[in-house]
């Protein structure tokens, strides 16, 4: 079954949306469409003050559905970066991601697009797109604004899951908890001031710290140059983070990163045809 389970907690005006797509809540086209429709309904409901997004089962979401990789379904509306993430950002109510287990790839990018993130301390986060020969287009723009360019590069180039509490001292998470992040997110949501969330709550509006960024990028390129056969995908992962640093604004960096992602994706799709 693929659905978004909606639970309205009327005491605090919190609407809980739970992704249900066993086994890992992949963001297939039916799931993306269901989440879009649930967000539209929540945004139009005057009784909803805040929206919590969580995942059923073992984790939050493992991202894109590999059954759709390089197929028309992968690009069908609503796409993640082009449509669903901007819809989350446009919500007139705060959207809080409640992360347990894992938030990987597009699943982690989904959380990054929310206004706030609540995570279990031992939840695993990752942007492993490098392993699949592509780059994280939106994650490469939002993550550096939360943890800095150097740490964002390290996570993206490692392409391996790390514990959420590694970033406890950064703005990546509004709160870390030992258990039940859905309950923690509901409590956090209920305590927020009523009304539209401040623009500063979104990572797209956080200023990017550029001090030391050029040096961090150069150091990563130098390490890759020492490899016998440097990974082209890894080099392009550095490029998309550099897009965030060089662009005048978030949208400019995202557009440049998407172009790199689409070029790599088209090449990978042609190679697998």
């Amino acid at each position: 079954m693929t659905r978004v389970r909606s639970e309205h907690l009327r005491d605090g005006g919190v609407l809980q949306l739970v992704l249900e797509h066993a086994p890992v809540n992949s963001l297939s086209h039916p799931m993306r469409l269901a989440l879009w429709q649930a967000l539209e309904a929540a945004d139009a409901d005057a009784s909803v003050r805040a929206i919590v997004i969580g995942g059923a089962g073992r984790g939050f979401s493992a991202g894109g559905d590999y059954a759709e990789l390089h197929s028309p379904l992968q690009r069908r509306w609503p796409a993640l970066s082009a449509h669903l993430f901007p819809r989350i950002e446009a919500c007139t109510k705060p959207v809080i991601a409640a992360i347990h287990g894992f938030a990987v790839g597009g699943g982690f990018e989904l959380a990054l697009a929310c206004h706030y993130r609540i995570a279990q301390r031992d939840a695993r986060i990752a942007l492993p797109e490098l392993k699949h020969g592509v780059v994280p287009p939106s994650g490469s723009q939002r993550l550096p604004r939360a943890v800095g360019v150097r740490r964002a590069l390290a996570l993206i180039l490692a392409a391996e899951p790390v514990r959420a509490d590694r970033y406890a001292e950064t703005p990546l998470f509004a709160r870390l908890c030992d258990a039940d992040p859905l309950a923690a997110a509901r409590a956090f949501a209920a305590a927020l001031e009523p009304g539209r969330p401040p623009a500063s709550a979104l990572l797209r509006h956080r200023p990017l710290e550029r001090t030391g960024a050029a040096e961090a990028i150069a150091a990563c390129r130098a390490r890759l140059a020492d490899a016998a056969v440097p990974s082209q995908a890894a080099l392009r992962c550095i490029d998309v983070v550099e897009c965030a640093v060089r662009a005048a604004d978030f949208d400019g960096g995202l557009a440049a990163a998407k172009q790199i992602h689409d070029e790599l994706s088209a090449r990978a799709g042609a190679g697998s045809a």
Side-chain angles (χ1 to χ4, degrees), residues 12 30 42 58 71 96 125 139 171 183 192 198 209 235:
R58 296 188 291 121
S71 77
I96 302 98
I125 58 173
L192 291 173
E209 176 55 64
L235 289 169

Side-chain angles (χ1 to χ4, degrees), residues 81-259:
S81 291
H83 308 120
L84 194 56
F85 298 165
R87 182 64 189 88
I88 291 172
E89 292 178 321
C91 278
T92 60
K93 292 87 182 274
V95 182
I96 302 98
I99 301 170
H100 78 289
F102 50 80
V104 176
F108 185 36
E109 290 186 304
L110 173 69
L112 290 172
C114 294
H115 295 91
Y116 306 100
R117 286 152 297 283
I118 309 294
Q120 203 164 323
R121 293 182 184 278
D122 60 356
R124 301 286 170 158
I125 58 173
L127 290 173
E129 284 80 356
L130 167 60
K131 291 183 176 181
H132 306 288
V134 292
V135 299
S138 64
S140 63
Q141 307 305 297
R142 291 185 176 90
L143 185 61
R145 287 170 161 81
V147 304
V149 169
R150 180 182 59 82
R151 297 181 78 174
L153 280 167
L155 183 67
I156 291 168
L157 291 173
E160 295 290 346
V162 300
R163 284 176 58 113
D165 58 8
R166 179 177 294 190
Y167 303 96
E169 80 287 2
T170 75
L172 181 56
F173 299 108
R175 186 172 297 169
L176 293 168
C177 58
D178 294 316
D180 200 353
L182 272 173
R186 291 194 301 267
F188 178 87
L192 291 173
E193 289 292 325
R196 182 184 288 270
S200 59
L202 293 172
L203 289 177
R204 69 153 47 236
H205 295 306
R206 285 192 64 86
L208 179 65
E209 176 55 64
R210 288 174 168 81
T211 304
E215 292 80 3
I217 289 168
C220 287
R221 287 207 174 103
R223 284 195 295 273
L224 283 179
D226 290 337
V229 182
S231 163
Q232 288 304 305
L235 289 169
R236 298 304 268 165
C237 280
I238 298 173
D239 289 344
V240 291
V241 174
E242 189 172 36
C243 289
V245 176
R246 290 184 175 274
D249 56 23
F250 178 88
D251 287 319
L254 181 59
K258 280 184 178 178
Q259 184 174 347

